[in-house]
Amino acid sequence: MAGKKQFDVGIALDAAMVQFWRAGYADTSLDDLSRTTGLNRSSIYSSFGDKDALYLRCLDHYAARYGNRYDQALSCASEDPLQAVRAFFEVTLQRIADPDVPDGCLIAQTAMAAPALSPTIAARAIEALDLQHARLRTALSGAQLAEGDADGFAVHMTAVNQSLAVMSKARASQEQLRTVVDISMTALSHALRARG
């Protein structure tokens, strides 16, 4: 249409997501979003809604992007649960090492800021964490673990995964992060061997 500015919604959403991820919800202004997306305020509002609505879209975008990678990593869990969980952690470690994205995790960052955010945004972060736990629980449910251990390890692995993101914000080295993963993997390996 003549006179109407065209833009790629996916690119704009990526830019907004990275801005929120880098600075956090509270420290991201509409001017920041306008600058990073290349859209004026009216285009942001007409395309995405208010700041809360855009943040929710960014959370969903982030959760889908990395959720698909987690699902793929865990897809071999029925044959080799150890390899699947290690691949799950590898998704996080690769994201942390990626120089094109900010440190940490948008979901973890949102969960930590939940008391200062709207109930809708806080609930969405909790849903994302619950989904990560459910993914891991499903992946481990077929493993030879003692009763209840699949859920216990899923809770533990979810917590470890989020702690990797927090540690990366504090500039932990890849070696330190991999040590955390290795210790968790050793515990899971021992639990599987004890049942086997």
Side-chain angles (χ1 to χ4, degrees):
M1 237 166 91
K4 185 168 183 175
K5 184 175 180 180
Q6 299 295 316
F7 66 94
D8 185 309
V9 172
I11 291 173
L13 198 56
D14 274 342
M17 179 185 74
V18 169
Q19 175 60 40
F20 281 129
W21 188 354
R22 182 172 288 117
Y25 177 89
D27 291 330
T28 296
S29 68
L30 281 172
D31 287 339
D32 294 328
L33 292 167
S34 181
R35 186 173 49 258
T36 59
T37 62
L39 304 174
N40 61 37
R41 285 174 175 242
S42 64
S43 293
I44 291 172
Y45 280 115
S46 65
S47 300
F48 301 107
D50 64 7
K51 184 178 168 183
D52 276 16
L54 177 55
Y55 194 79
L56 288 169
R57 289 271 304 266
C58 289
L59 279 176
D60 290 345
H61 185 61
Y62 179 95
R65 173 179 292 168
Y66 293 104
N68 289 338
R69 294 176 190 176
Y70 288 134
D71 287 339
Q72 185 176 12
L74 293 170
S75 65
C76 70
S78 60
E79 297 87 39
D80 190 343
L82 279 175
Q83 180 181 331
V85 174
R86 185 163 295 279
F88 170 88
F89 283 129
E90 197 60 38
V91 171
T92 299
L93 293 171
Q94 286 174 6
R95 185 193 68 229
I96 289 169
D98 185 347
D100 294 330
V101 298
D103 290 331
C105 166
L106 184 60
I107 302 297
Q109 180 177 302
T110 304
M112 289 186 293
L117 300 173
S118 77
T120 305
I121 292 174
R124 192 69 57 89
I126 291 166
E127 285 171 20
L129 291 173
D130 287 346
L131 180 57
Q132 191 170 94
H133 170 241
R135 274 188 183 98
L136 285 159
R137 185 180 60 237
T138 299
L140 292 171
S141 64
Q144 299 294 320
L145 290 167
E147 188 176 333
D149 279 359
D151 189 62
F153 270 104
V155 169
H156 173 79
M157 300 301 180
T158 301
V160 169
N161 200 49
Q162 296 309 310
S163 74
L164 295 173
V166 174
M167 289 175 68
S168 77
K169 285 287 259 190
R171 303 287 186 247
S173 69
Q174 275 285 320
E175 182 181 358
Q176 290 170 318
L177 299 176
R178 288 190 180 279
T179 297
V180 171
V181 170
D182 289 345
I183 290 169
S184 294
M185 295 306 302
T186 299
L188 179 58
S189 177
H190 287 165
L192 288 168
R193 271 202 306 264
R195 268 316 257 191

